[in-house]
Amino acid sequence: KAQSGKEVTFSYASSSALAKQLDSGAPADLFASADLEWMDWAQTRRLIKPGSKKVLLGNTLVLVTQKETALDLKIAPGFALAAAIGESRLATGNPSSVPVGKYAQAALTKLGVWDAVGTRIAGADNVRAALALVARGEAKLGIVYGTDAAAEPKVRVVDTFPADTHPPIVYPFAVTATSANPDANQFLEFLSSSKAEAIFKAQGFSVLK
């Protein structure tokens, strides 16, 4: 808006929810997904304009706990995650549908600890809901994106998952197939600009373009 004087309205939800809203006819000009899978899902249903997809951003996957919780745990193959959880739960996105939960399951499986903690997952509808469970102390540990952890002062990062334990965390953007708004392409171009890049980096994202 500062650059163009034009209003932008945002609708926030998990990638799965947004993709299904598009499929149900919800009006939108751009779709941004937290993984390639839901963008590909939208593409196979012809919900985005061919050739408009841009993979703009990357992120990290981190293990978090409440800020005042005394816990020192190094992520490594076979690490003692189940013992660290204790009688509590491990908060993340629902592994069956929410991207952060799928990344978490992939990482924990690669590290050989999923079988020990898979039944202890508090699967949230989106990453911010999972983060809130940890911030409120309703789950001792959580797996979220690095950018979300940085945005919540009530949690701290215990450790970061090695990049080779999960698929790359990337954010594709695309113009929707139903958009007739001439500003849609201009906004997508702005999101690829150096000014937007500085904003994204300030929030902890890596810029991939």
Side-chain angles (χ1 to χ4, degrees), residues 72-156:
D72 184 17
L73 187 64
K74 183 67 178 174
I75 295 172
F79 73 118
L81 181 59
I85 295 170
E87 298 299 316
S88 186
R89 306 287 294 280
L90 175 65
T92 190
N94 186 332
S96 67
S97 59
V98 180
V100 71
K102 291 190 281 187
Y103 291 127
Q105 182 174 1
L108 296 177
T109 300
K110 180 74 176 288
L111 293 164
V113 298
W114 175 257
D115 289 346
V117 302
T119 60
R120 316 263 297 279
I121 299 293
D125 290 338
N126 58 70
V127 66
R128 284 301 174 100
L131 184 66
L133 291 174
V134 180
R136 294 194 300 261
E138 295 174 26
K140 185 175 180 181
L141 289 164
I143 298 176
V144 298
Y145 301 125
T147 50
D148 293 290
E152 175 50 76
K154 294 181 180 178
V155 308
R156 67 176 179 85

Side-chain angles (χ1 to χ4, degrees), residues 6-176:
K6 297 174 181 177
E7 293 282 352
V8 180
T9 300
F10 293 91
S11 178
Y12 297 108
S14 68
S15 303
S16 54
L18 293 172
K20 290 174 182 177
Q21 287 171 18
L22 283 180
D23 199 32
S24 297
D29 295 303
L30 291 180
F31 173 46
S33 174
D35 70 357
L36 289 171
E37 186 174 334
W38 281 109
M39 182 62 76
D40 291 344
W41 186 92
Q43 190 168 8
T44 60
R45 284 160 176 76
R46 300 181 181 178
L47 301 175
I48 63 172
K49 287 187 177 176
S52 70
K53 181 174 73 176
K54 293 186 176 184
V55 180
L56 296 183
L57 306 173
N59 212 332
T60 56
L61 192 69
V62 298
L63 184 69
V64 295
T65 190
Q66 265 193 318
K67 193 166 187 177
E68 61 271 21
T69 299
L71 178 66
D72 184 17
L73 187 64
K74 183 67 178 174
I75 295 172
F79 73 118
L81 181 59
I85 295 170
E87 298 299 316
S88 186
R89 306 287 294 280
L90 175 65
T92 190
N94 186 332
S96 67
S97 59
V98 180
V100 71
K102 291 190 281 187
Y103 291 127
Q105 182 174 1
L108 296 177
T109 300
K110 180 74 176 288
L111 293 164
V113 298
W114 175 257
D115 289 346
V117 302
T119 60
R120 316 263 297 279
I121 299 293
D125 290 338
N126 58 70
V127 66
R128 284 301 174 100
L131 184 66
L133 291 174
V134 180
R136 294 194 300 261
E138 295 174 26
K140 185 175 180 181
L141 289 164
I143 298 176
V144 298
Y145 301 125
T147 50
D148 293 290
E152 175 50 76
K154 294 181 180 178
V155 308
R156 67 176 179 85
V157 174
V158 177
D159 201 7
T160 300
F161 285 87
D164 63 359
T165 61
H166 55 80
I169 300 171
V170 296
Y171 296 75
F173 292 65
V175 178
T176 62

